Amino acid sequence: MRMVDIITKKRDGGILTREEIHYFIEGYTRGAIPDYQASALCMAILFKGMNNDEISILTDEMCHSGATMDLSKIDGVKVDKHSTGGVGDKTSLVLCPMVASCGVKVAKMSGRGLGHTGGTLDKLESIPGLSVTKSDEEFIRQVNDIGIAIIGQTSELDPADKKLYALRDVTGTVEAIPLIASSIMSKKLASGTDTILLDVTFGEGAFMKDIDSARELARVMVDIGNGLGKNTKAVLSSMEEPLGYAVGNSLEIKEVVNALHGKGPKDLMELCYKCGSIILMQAGITHTEKEGRLMLSESIRSGKAYMTFENMVKAQGGDIAFLENPDKFRESGFIINLISSSEGYVSKINALTIGEVSMKLGAGREKLDDMIDMAAGILLHKKVGDYVKKGDTLLEIHTSRSNYKELIKELEGAFELVSKPVPTHEVVWEVVE
Ligand code: URA
């Protein structure tokens, strides 16, 4: 078998066999197939797609490209939650402590930033000292002890995805349903969880630009998960504007801390309550959404959700002084206000532009080995639906790079103002089960 034949077969719209998919995944993981051939195949898949059988085989081959985890030593129902990515998407960091404090065991493996979207691991690592690396035993012990752990994939787990994820990030091949579905589901299946909740984002700031493709991606993943005996559901959530106000690693951690203290932005909290109430039902803790919402709001009110987050940060070596006093986080060299030169109601804040600019300010990676500036990013002052007066601040730019001036035009273009009031965006549109 030759890799070039597999690439040309897919380029011409052919259907790959298990043997061919196995040859690719096994060879790429081992280092026998070079990045340039793997990226050519990813590009061919992006253009030509894959049928459901090919996606299931790809998922299975990726899942078994390394070790799989046995979580049977964790008592209770193990839940994992995964988002397909967004701008300002810190949902997992608020939601997981909320549900863990209600008795669900959260054994979560997260990813890093991909394209213009941020990654949960990068956000967590902005807390000084925090490590996202744990051995299987340590991971299991932490979940048993405090109910929650959020770590990176170990190098033994799904190594194919680890390599492909990083490659896709820098080769323009993220936005393909077969590649996203297999990337997410192979990790979830390898990590041995019982129950999976997927947050499939759509809109300007998401990889899926419209609800129909989000539904298609959700359907594929939910069917793969349920087909393999994992209780899997998905919500379709809007990513037209950034989620919450903060975009960028430590800026988002500060917003997470506020949210866990009951001062979270409306859109972020609505997504957490919706996802959280589904997870509580999946885990058999509650029977209705209303019951779940009540339990979750009590977890915030009582401080239990915040304490669960703090315990997790402590267990992973993070300095909780930064949570107790978020002013301790290092600030960027430049903090610049973007001022509105007109007035009106905000009808749009282009999440893609905000995500891309945030990356250029240092908050994300443009190349595989780029270092992230944890303090960099964007803090919105306005959301869709807000009224803006001339001279109001639209957002703050946080960066230590002096090239920010070149980005101001792009940021101004991200906002659209209209003269009539506009309704705020719905966050959750549908549940796929
Ligand atoms: N999240 C993942 O884990 N993989 C993708 O491909 C996209 C989002």
Side-chain angles (χ1 to χ4, degrees), residues 153-369:
Q153 271 162 267
T154 58
S155 53
E156 303 86 58
L157 199 106
D158 205 343
D161 179 61
K162 227 175 180 196
K163 284 187 84 176
L164 278 171
Y165 194 89
L167 182 77
R168 286 166 54 221
D169 191 19
V170 291
T171 54
T173 51
V174 172
E175 294 89 344
I177 288 181
L179 298 179
I180 298 179
S182 56
S183 161
I184 293 179
M185 292 312 288
S186 60
K187 283 193 286 263
K188 300 298 105 179
L189 298 171
S191 71
T193 185
D194 307 316
T195 296
I196 303 166
L197 181 72
L198 303 162
D199 175 11
V200 182
T201 53
F202 67 93
E204 205 79 59
F207 296 127
M208 299 294 106
K209 296 300 173 203
D210 54 64
I211 193 161
D212 292 334
S213 24
R215 193 180 293 115
E216 191 184 333
L217 173 61
R219 186 76 271 150
V220 172
M221 293 195 289
V222 167
D223 287 349
I224 293 177
N226 286 328
L228 290 166
K230 310 281 178 190
N231 178 337
T232 309
K233 294 190 197 301
V235 297
L236 307 187
S237 75
S238 167
M239 190 44 75
E240 282 301 337
E241 64 173 331
L243 192 63
Y245 290 85
V247 180
N249 300 289
S250 61
L251 293 172
E252 292 191 45
I253 292 292
K254 292 187 202 177
E255 191 164 65
V256 165
V257 171
N258 279 335
L260 290 167
H261 282 315
K263 290 174 283 183
K266 200 163 153 273
D267 54 351
L268 170 65
M269 293 320 291
E270 174 49 26
L271 185 54
C272 290
Y273 281 116
K274 183 76 189 182
C275 292
S277 57
I278 296 173
I279 289 175
L280 292 182
M281 286 191 277
Q282 283 179 295
I285 292 181
T286 52
H287 299 289
T288 63
E289 181 171 335
K290 192 168 164 212
E291 229 184 303
R293 281 180 180 262
L294 271 174
M295 200 170 194
L296 293 164
S297 61
E298 181 54 22
S299 78
I300 296 279
R301 199 207 55 76
S302 63
K304 268 169 49 187
Y306 170 76
M307 278 318 295
T308 306
F309 182 63
E310 196 175 284
N311 289 340
M312 179 185 83
V313 169
K314 207 188 299 172
Q316 295 185 207
D319 184 350
I320 57 164
F322 285 78
L323 306 184
E324 283 160 0
N325 177 13
D327 289 343
K328 275 176 80 80
F329 278 104
R330 179 180 64 79
E331 296 243 308
S332 292
F334 305 102
I335 300 179
I336 304 104
N337 288 354
L338 180 70
I339 304 295
S340 178
S341 52
S342 49
E343 62 180 31
Y345 294 90
V346 181
S347 59
K348 181 173 172 146
I349 305 175
N350 188 319
L352 178 59
T353 308
I354 301 286
E356 282 175 347
V357 171
S358 172
M359 186 167 78
K360 292 179 196 160
L361 294 171
R365 295 179 191 80
E366 288 179 66
K367 293 191 298 327
L368 268 181
D369 48 2

